[in-house]
């Protein structure tokens, strides 16, 4: 999944994704200058940041 696709799917900005990468909160891969995310890594990230309602 590309940076643009993931930001659209999560409804966050690409800059926010960059902050997650910089803080090592989400795993990513860089191929030919393009940043990619594996589906498994995205699922793991979502599970680690999930907060249930009260």
């Amino acid at each position: 999944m590309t940076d643009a696709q993931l930001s659209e799917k999560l409804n966050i900005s690409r800059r926010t994704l960059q902050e997650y990468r910089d803080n090592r909160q989400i795993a990513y891969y860089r191929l030919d200058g393009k940043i990619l995310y594996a589906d498994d890594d995205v699922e793991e990230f979502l599970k680690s940041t999930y907060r249930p309602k009260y």
Side-chain angles (χ1 to χ4, degrees):
M1 185 176 315
T2 66
D3 198 44
Q5 290 170 332
L6 183 58
S7 65
E8 185 176 324
K9 181 178 180 177
L10 298 179
N11 198 27
I12 59 175
S13 70
R14 293 176 74 183
R15 176 67 179 131
T16 301
L17 275 178
Q18 181 180 347
E19 288 180 19
Y20 291 158
R21 289 193 312 268
D22 292 345
N23 294 331
R24 301 178 192 263
Q25 292 178 298
I26 189 168
Y28 67 97
Y29 305 92
R30 181 172 285 188
L31 296 174
D32 296 330
K34 204 171 201 186
I35 295 176
L36 302 172
Y37 303 90
D39 290 335
D40 293 339
D41 294 334
V42 173
E43 283 295 320
E44 184 178 321
F45 168 73
L46 292 174
K47 286 180 183 177
S48 70
T49 58
Y50 176 73
R51 291 186 182 170
K53 289 186 176 183
Y54 294 104

